[in-house]
Amino acid sequence: MSRKTKERPKSTCDCVVVGGGLAGLVAACATAKAGLDVIHLAPAAPPDHRTSALMVPSVKILADLGLVDDPNALGEPLRKIRIIDATSRLVRAPEALFDSAEVNEQAFGWNFANAAMSTQFSQHVEALPNLNRLEASATGLTRVESGWMLALSDGRSIKTSLVVGADGKRSFVREAAGISINETRHKQSALVCDLKLSFPLNGESVEFHYENGPFTLVPAGGQRANLVWIEGVERLAEITALAPEAILAAIQERSQNLFGKLELETPAVVFPLSSFEADTMGKEGIVLVGESAHAFPPIGAQGLNLSLRDVAGLVGCVNKARLTRPDWATGVSKAYSGVRKADVRRTNMMVGGLFKSLLSGLLPAQALRAGGVWALKKLPPLRKSAFRLGMGPG
Ligand SMILES: Cc1cc2nc3c(=O)[nH]c(=O)nc-3n(C[C@H](O)[C@H](O)[C@H](O)COP(=O)(O)OP(=O)(O)OC[C@H]3O[C@@H](n4cnc5c(N)ncnc54)[C@H](O)[C@@H]3O)c2cc1C
């Protein structure tokens, strides 16, 4: 194991991280900081217009890696969450407001623009001497003695011990490694855009629950808010085909005019939604992090939070590994698969259950949902446990 410099020609390394999204960037930084000699494959990708609510434990992971110094300088604190049952169902939940002060935190987390995180993390990663970034895709993956040979889109080949697949939902690494998923494609998509409201949200995220999914305004600083609107696939296709004024009118109507006259600050972008979990998180020197390993609808802001816990879990396994052994990477992938299984399962089940319960029009489900919100409103200990569950393990 040696810390090599950026000047050396790179055809071998300890670890290749495949994918330049947020999970890949953080994984590249974390494995390099754990002492591995890392190559990061980050091909040019379209700009990510989403924002991510990252909870306090996730922000701590980023702070420990030196990627975020002051979260208030990069994002907007999420201090309160308001839930409004906007359905016309027979049994409706009461309106509820949850405050992070109850769990002695200044905020549940922060809302960060993905593009701003990407820029900040990339600058940090550039400065690491044992990390090399290449603007190339992985196109081939072959097992070789005590490791893997990766073929790149620019014609190069790299031999490595550990491969970190952070290449998103349609992961090449996952497929090449023969790791299967059982994907459910949902009948809903998510529309995302930035809005200007007539007044600031002051750290309060407002979530309307409609029959086809939540319509959530997340504070983005000043009078700005990020909208995540989950709706039927066909309905969102109809809406995005409209002129900007008509799109805004549809959003205005769904917001129940509670925020005054709205302005559209960015074009509306739609993301198809699906759920899956990889049948293993790692094997034979290959590990999966982020959406290559798990995906679910953006309910309760869990996706990237879970991905950051993947990276923290991977670093824990690398730190415990005996890196002088020729098969250290196989050991890391096996240990990683073991340590990440329960958290991924638990989060997937929690989000899946919540999503189903929000969509179900059946009377028992309505009663359960309304009773659940009522109990959370009335019972502080239950509320605190729910907050801790939603914020994820520390
Ligand atoms: C509408 C919406 C709102 C969300 N809000 C939140 C939230 O509030 N909080 C939260 O925690 N999560 C949220 N999520 C989830 C979160 O955005 C994702 O979990 C996260 O962005 C996934 O990051 P990733 O790096 O795993 O994947 P991606 O961002 O998809 O990155 C994968 C990268 O791999 C690259 N790639 C693909 N193939 C190859 C290859 N062969 N070689 C090299 N590179 C390759 C791609 O170019 C891409 O850059 C939201 C998701 C959606 C859809």
Side-chain angles (χ1 to χ4, degrees), residues 29 39 78 83 118 131 136 139 156 163 171 174 184 218 235 259 271 288 294 300 304 323 336 346-347 351 358:
C29 173
I39 293 180
L78 301 171
I83 295 180
S118 180
L131 194 154
T139 54
R156 271 187 265 198
V163 178
S171 169
R174 186 184 67 222
T184 305
V218 191
R235 177 76 186 119
F259 312 95
F271 292 83
L288 302 178
H294 42 69
L304 189 57
L323 300 176
Y336 172 77
R346 176 195 72 95
T347 309
V351 176
L358 289 177

Side-chain angles (χ1 to χ4, degrees), residues 11-70:
S11 57
T12 63
C13 62
D14 303 323
C15 169
V16 173
V17 177
V18 183
L22 289 168
L25 264 168
V26 179
C29 173
T31 47
K33 288 202 167 180
L36 300 183
D37 180 25
V38 178
I39 293 180
H40 184 201
L41 299 185
D48 188 342
H49 295 291
R50 290 171 292 182
T51 59
S52 298
L54 295 183
M55 303 306 161
V56 170
S58 303
V59 176
K60 182 162 185 329
I61 293 174
L62 295 176
D64 288 348
L65 287 169
L67 291 170
V68 169
D69 184 12
D70 174 10

